[in-house]
Amino acid sequence: MLNIQIGLNVIFQLFNSRIITIPPFLCTIIQDYVQKLYDYEPSDRLFPVTKYYLHHEMDRGCKKSKVKRIRIHDLRHSHASLLIEMGFSPLLISERLGHENIQTITNIFPSVSKQAWRSGTKTETIK
């Protein structure tokens, strides 16, 4: 079930799974989008996009922009890398990505030194 709440903390929850924080402007866009959907049920997919479609669009965009194609899943790694560079703590990054424990993120990014992880001082919610 899709649950979007606007307030001091904007959260996005899908099917009672992971809750992530999103900026209020994005929450508003999603709410407007849902209102325009015809015959939408909360149990339906919010974006009816197939894996094939994502691959096709990634190929098309990479060809047009002449950049190296990466896997769709690699976007998660890029997101995590950006958060690391921004100084967020491994705990918050692990929660954001839905990992069950913090060790997962430190194992995926072994090149990040322990000192760099310790300097991850941003502990506020990732927005």
Side-chain angles (χ1 to χ4, degrees):
M1 180 170 165
L2 178 65
N3 179 15
I4 302 174
Q5 299 173 355
I6 298 179
L8 192 54
N9 293 320
V10 178
I11 61 169
F12 180 75
Q13 182 178 8
L14 187 59
F15 300 113
N16 296 325
S17 59
R18 183 168 74 249
I19 297 173
I20 62 169
T21 303
I22 59 174
F25 81 89
L26 185 55
C27 190
T28 302
I29 290 171
I30 292 172
Q31 286 178 323
D32 290 345
Y33 172 76
V34 168
Q35 288 177 355
K36 293 175 184 173
L37 294 175
Y38 177 75
D39 203 26
Y40 176 77
E41 295 292 328
S43 60
D44 294 343
R45 280 183 155 194
L46 185 57
F47 303 104
V49 175
T50 65
K51 187 176 179 180
Y52 170 80
Y53 178 79
L54 286 175
H55 282 280
H56 172 75
E57 289 301 302
M58 186 75 111
D59 288 339
R60 191 174 68 80
C62 290
K63 184 177 180 181
K64 186 172 184 174
S65 62
K66 298 180 180 157
V67 298
K68 180 182 172 192
R69 188 193 188 288
I70 61 172
R71 298 174 304 155
I72 301 294
H73 184 79
D74 292 336
L75 295 173
R76 282 176 54 90
H77 293 271
S78 297
H79 179 59
S81 296
L82 177 63
L83 295 175
I84 291 167
E85 279 205 23
M86 292 173 70
F88 284 94
S89 72
L91 177 61
L92 283 177
I93 297 170
S94 291
E95 288 174 357
R96 176 74 172 203
L97 297 178
H99 296 150
E100 290 187 17
N101 64 56
I102 195 170
Q103 196 63 39
T104 305
I105 194 76
T106 56
N107 288 344
I108 292 172
F109 295 93
S111 60
V112 177
S113 69
K114 289 181 182 178
Q115 179 60 35
W117 280 122
R118 278 194 287 271
S119 70
T121 55
K122 289 189 180 179
T123 56
E124 71 269 12
T125 304
I126 298 170
K127 295 180 181 176

